[in-house]
Amino acid sequence: MMMESRRSLLLVRHAQSLHNVAEIEALGRPEGELYFRYRKDLLDCPISPLGHEQVEAASQILNSYNVKVVFASPLRRTLMTATGLFKSHPNKPKIYAYPPLREIMACACDIPDNLDKIKKEFPHVDFTYVDMLPIKELWAYYSLKNEKYRNKIFQELQEKFPSPEDLAQNNSIHVLEKMEKLHPERIELISDVNERVREAKIFLEDKVKTMLGEDERLAVVAHFTFLKAFTATKFDENGEPLDGTT
């Protein structure tokens, strides 16, 4: 008799970040979203003090889940969340940084910090899926589905910062300033995220089949927009999810 596999995904949104705190603060300010959207101090920002408390509380719950492996967005707030959630897990699951899990590129917090710095902060994380890219320092931009902006970003960055060292140190601020100049136009739309989510689902389904045993789980630590699109079953004419959870 055929038995249904009990291998499964466990979806987790990152804990509260400093960007989320700035979003709340912006509610009472005349600048609105411009108060936080392009702030350099929020570039790839960490989780907040409350976020640390959330992680600690959630880790006690997740310790009872049979998590075998973790795939997380390579942004700082998701890596911090994944690290805190599973640091004391009995299975000691390996954490992989997987670029397509990143958030929609809309704010400073969605632009990655210097890759070498991130690797030093998270030496226990496996960056194989980042390092395999041709220019690993620009990992976040390979999954942009808008070819015009993707090609323009790569061209501008390589022309302006021809040395690998300059490129690694300066690409984030350049992209942030470009996004601010383009406002309110966006370099990534929800329809682009939906396409990226479809590709990520295929990848994760394969990992569930090939990396898990019976009753084991693969945890995915990602972001609001990504997870809403991932779990949605209905979309409007612009691709905005009409359901889905975060």
Side-chain angles (χ1 to χ4, degrees):
M1 185 175 71
M2 294 292 292
M3 298 292 291
E4 183 180 355
S5 173
R6 291 187 293 272
R7 305 177 182 96
S8 61
L9 288 176
L10 177 66
L11 303 179
V12 183
R13 185 190 174 191
H14 65 80
Q16 185 193 63
S17 71
L18 294 183
H19 166 85
N20 299 135
V21 174
E23 281 184 302
I24 296 170
E25 294 172 349
L27 295 175
R29 301 180 67 97
E31 313 99 297
E33 67 175 23
L34 293 180
Y35 169 71
F36 62 82
R37 190 170 288 280
Y38 306 112
R39 278 173 46 182
K40 290 182 174 65
D41 63 311
L42 293 177
L43 192 147
D44 201 1
C45 61
I47 60 176
S48 69
L50 175 59
H52 282 284
E53 294 178 13
Q54 292 171 336
V55 168
E56 182 62 29
S59 70
Q60 302 304 312
I61 299 171
L62 289 177
N63 281 346
S64 64
Y65 285 71
N66 192 18
V67 175
K68 175 70 177 298
V69 64
V70 180
F71 283 84
S73 156
L75 291 169
R76 182 177 272 113
R77 59 195 185 275
T78 33
L79 293 180
M80 290 180 73
T81 300
T83 297
L85 287 177
F86 297 103
K87 66 181 179 181
S88 61
H89 194 280
N91 291 348
K92 303 296 182 187
K94 189 170 185 176
I95 301 174
Y96 291 90
Y98 184 55
L101 298 178
R102 65 173 178 80
E103 181 61 299
I104 187 171
M105 200 168 289
C107 301
C109 64
D110 307 319
I111 299 175
D113 200 353
N114 178 279
L115 180 60
D116 286 338
K117 185 191 298 185
I118 293 295
K119 286 184 174 182
K120 288 177 181 177
E121 289 180 27
F122 304 97
H124 55 285
V125 172
D126 189 315
F127 285 88
T128 296
Y129 295 101
V130 175
D131 292 338
M132 66 174 51
L133 296 169
I135 308 176
K136 59 187 178 182
E137 292 80 5
L138 306 184
W139 65 263
Y141 314 118
Y142 282 95
S143 55
L144 285 173
K145 299 305 179 182
N146 186 314
E147 289 189 15
K148 180 183 76 171
Y149 286 131
R150 183 179 68 240
N151 294 340
K152 188 69 173 175
I153 286 172
F154 274 91
Q155 180 183 352
E156 287 180 0
L157 289 174
Q158 291 177 283
E159 288 178 354
K160 189 167 184 177
F161 309 112
S163 78
E165 295 78 13
D166 286 345
L167 183 64
Q169 291 295 328
N170 298 300
N171 75 84
S172 299
I173 294 298
H174 177 84
V175 174
L176 179 60
E177 291 174 347
K178 183 178 183 66
M179 287 171 56
E180 187 171 15
K181 289 177 182 177
L182 286 170
H183 186 88
E185 189 175 352
R186 303 285 179 85
I187 65 174
E188 188 169 35
L189 302 176
I190 186 61
S191 56
D192 301 322
V193 176
N194 292 340
E195 184 177 349
R196 177 157 52 87
V197 164
R198 286 192 290 270
E199 295 171 357
K201 281 185 175 182
I202 294 172
F203 172 87
L204 292 169
E205 287 171 2
D206 175 71
K207 296 306 175 188
V208 166
K209 293 176 183 177
T210 59
M211 298 183 78
L212 302 185
E214 289 301 313
D215 297 315
E216 291 181 335
R217 294 195 181 201
L218 183 155
V220 175
V221 184
H223 306 266
F224 177 91
T225 306
F226 182 92
L227 291 173
K228 191 168 181 63
F230 194 97
T231 56
T233 60
K234 300 175 183 178
F235 301 84
D236 69 14
E237 63 275 10
N238 297 315
E240 288 286 346
L242 297 175
D243 56 2
T245 59
T246 58

